[in-house]
Amino acid sequence: MTKCIVFLLSWIICCFCVHASDSLRISLMTCSVGEQLYATFGHSALRVNNLKTGKDQVYNFGMFNPNTPCFQFRFIQGEAQYQLGIQSFDDFLQIYQDENRLVMEQVLDLTQKEKEIIIRRLAFLYLPENRYYFYKFGTDNCTTALRDLIFDAISFDTSCLESRGNTFRQLINECLEEKPWLQFGVNLLLGSKSDKRINGYESMFLPEQLRMGLNKIERNGYKLVVEEKMLNTIEQDGSIKYQNIFSPFLLLSMLFLLTLFFYKSEYLKSVVFAFVGILGIIVLIITLFTEHRELMNNFNLLWFNPLYIVSSILIKQKDLRKQKFLAYCNLVLTLIAIIFWIIGIQSYQWTFIPLILLLSVYNMQIIKRKTNVII
């Protein structure tokens, strides 16, 4: 009975909105990046402003409960539940103003029929049984939901959406240039599927890509975006970005040089192997159990693998024969990974190089050793 009432109310609202669609102004809002991890790539939302009644609402596909148990692990697995929510425009804008994040608005030139299609679809998606979905970073997120909603409602020449031939990984790296440690970690998790060339439509999984894509669309000689403007102002952050100064490449290079000075330190070697091995286990678990296709088939596990945790244990046990066997295995696996990079099966990040050199030097040291060394 309750579902019937909810459906009836939604249908009435939908009919009212459709009838008044000629007074509606629909626009895409693109929000800049934030400090929180979930805000790293920005955000998209749809504004529906009824100029006749003054009702100004924002449809937001990025609502979630951060207090959900194991939310971050669920997010990585692809099982984090997001939902469509409705906010007043003033409340929405105030949230992003408080977070010092810029909000851009693109007013769309839509026919009455196109507005009706969008409004009906929004009413359908806002039904309790439809508003929830599992967040998939590259294929099903707050931006792709709006991309599909808009593109399903309009007709245009898709040739204007031809991309630069970028890959998923390249677009992600462009967004993470100011966050090198996050970029390093993300590239470690991304698998070979993220290196497939994507078209203009697929590239619009990112808010900024969708914003730029809409600006390219023309229909009958008219731009789809009739007006683009900033809705707020933000304060420029002049603080020192320490993560840029102490970048992964710099620190890993320093660690590599440190190993040359303390070449025979079995303790340092054991710590490095244990660290890589533990992280390798985490990457392996994520790769095996994730629903994000971009994290699948991760060949970084060839050189950054859980075998190093075993090597760390063997160093403590002073078992040289088994240490050599694993050292040979790790060097061969690293060589295979490099071959995969060269022939383009999976891309790599240049900040990996100091760590690869470090591990290779340690493995070569083990292979050349003739007697056990006391720690």
Side-chain angles (χ1 to χ4, degrees):
M1 183 65 181
T2 304
K3 286 188 176 181
C4 292
I5 295 174
V6 172
F7 179 80
L8 181 61
L9 290 174
S10 298
W11 182 82
I12 294 173
I13 294 172
C14 176
C15 291
F16 173 78
C17 290
V18 168
H19 179 70
S21 61
D22 57 340
S23 65
L24 293 181
R25 187 172 73 170
I26 297 178
S27 54
L28 177 77
M29 293 194 296
T30 304
C31 310
S32 63
V33 301
E35 294 298 324
Q36 302 87 348
L37 183 61
Y38 62 81
T40 299
F41 301 97
H43 183 51
S44 300
L46 198 70
R47 180 183 183 184
V48 178
N49 185 10
N50 192 320
L51 302 176
K52 190 172 184 179
T53 65
K55 193 173 185 179
D56 198 355
Q57 293 181 316
V58 174
Y59 289 81
N60 187 350
F61 284 88
M63 308 288 281
F64 66 94
N65 181 7
N67 296 321
T68 301
C70 303
F71 176 80
Q72 293 182 344
F73 182 71
R74 288 175 180 270
F75 181 87
I76 294 175
Q77 280 187 305
E79 295 182 357
Q81 194 174 63
Y82 277 57
Q83 71 176 82
L84 168 62
I86 300 178
Q87 302 165 273
S88 73
F89 168 73
D90 290 337
D91 289 345
F92 180 88
L93 186 61
Q94 187 61 51
I95 290 172
Y96 285 88
Q97 185 65 57
D98 292 342
E99 293 180 0
N100 199 39
R101 297 171 63 183
L102 192 66
V103 180
M104 296 285 295
E105 181 182 29
Q106 293 169 293
V107 180
L108 306 180
D109 183 14
L110 302 172
T111 65
Q112 183 173 342
K113 183 179 179 181
E114 290 168 344
K115 292 178 183 179
E116 291 175 1
I117 293 173
I118 291 176
I119 294 301
R120 284 198 182 100
R121 185 61 180 168
L122 287 171
F124 173 77
L125 292 175
Y126 192 63
L127 292 174
E129 62 269 27
N130 298 330
R131 68 180 60 163
Y132 296 94
Y133 69 98
F134 289 110
Y135 185 97
K136 301 293 187 298
F137 184 77
T139 57
D140 197 2
N141 60 41
C142 58
T143 300
T144 60
L146 296 178
R147 174 199 65 188
D148 297 343
L149 180 71
I150 295 171
F151 285 9
D152 287 346
I154 67 176
S155 298
F156 65 99
D157 184 3
T158 57
S159 63
C160 66
L161 297 180
E162 289 300 320
S163 68
R164 296 170 292 172
N166 286 323
T167 66
F168 181 90
R169 187 191 301 271
Q170 288 171 336
L171 292 176
I172 290 295
N173 281 332
E174 287 180 8
C175 297
L176 298 177
E177 288 180 351
E178 298 299 319
K179 298 181 178 181
W181 279 103
L182 182 58
Q183 187 183 67
F184 178 86
V186 167
N187 276 274
L188 202 58
L189 289 174
L190 290 176
S192 60
K193 289 183 179 292
S194 67
D195 294 302
K196 180 179 75 71
R197 298 288 175 181
I198 57 179
N199 57 37
Y201 173 82
E202 293 172 314
S203 70
M204 294 181 191
F205 70 94
L206 291 169
E208 188 61 20
Q209 291 294 323
L210 178 58
R211 186 188 71 81
M212 293 189 298
L214 293 185
N215 280 330
K216 296 178 182 178
I217 297 177
E218 289 189 10
R219 303 184 301 168
N220 301 319
Y222 295 95
K223 292 277 191 180
L224 175 63
V225 177
V226 294
E227 182 183 5
E228 183 175 34
K229 60 182 178 180
M230 291 186 297
L231 297 178
N232 64 335
T233 57
I234 60 174
E235 296 179 4
Q236 297 299 322
D237 186 5
S239 60
I240 299 175
K241 303 294 184 182
Y242 290 101
Q243 62 173 328
N244 291 327
I245 298 175
F246 300 103
S247 66
F249 182 79
L250 175 61
L251 291 187
L252 289 174
S253 297
M254 292 173 61
L255 181 59
F256 172 67
L257 294 175
L258 188 65
T259 62
L260 300 181
F261 287 103
F262 298 94
Y263 188 76
K264 296 183 179 181
S265 173
E266 297 295 286
Y267 177 77
L268 180 59
K269 184 190 305 178
S270 178
V271 170
V272 171
F273 280 0
F275 178 75
V276 172
I278 292 171
L279 289 184
I281 292 173
I282 295 173
V283 173
L284 177 61
I285 292 173
I286 291 173
T287 302
L288 291 177
F289 296 102
T290 186
E291 294 294 328
H292 295 289
R293 68 180 185 182
E294 298 81 15
L295 305 186
M296 298 176 182
N297 299 348
N298 188 354
F299 294 109
N300 283 327
L301 286 166
L302 290 171
W303 68 271
F304 195 88
N305 64 69
L307 290 178
Y308 280 104
I309 195 70
V310 181
S311 298
S312 177
I313 295 172
L314 292 176
I315 290 175
K316 294 290 186 179
Q317 295 179 348
K318 306 180 184 67
D319 192 330
L320 183 58
R321 183 177 60 85
K322 293 180 180 178
Q323 284 185 52
K324 285 189 174 184
F325 174 76
L326 280 181
Y328 275 116
C329 289
N330 285 322
L331 283 175
V332 171
L333 290 173
T334 300
L335 179 60
I336 294 173
I338 294 173
I339 293 174
F340 281 6
W341 294 343
I342 293 174
I343 64 180
I345 291 179
Q346 179 168 321
S347 182
Y348 72 99
Q349 192 183 28
W350 58 277
T351 49
F352 291 166
I353 294 175
L355 183 56
I356 291 175
L357 290 175
L358 170 62
L359 295 173
S360 298
V361 167
Y362 274 152
N363 284 317
M364 289 297 297
Q365 180 192 21
I366 292 173
I367 290 172
K368 291 181 179 180
R369 186 182 303 159
K370 296 182 179 180
T371 58
N372 286 331
V373 177
I374 299 177
I375 297 178

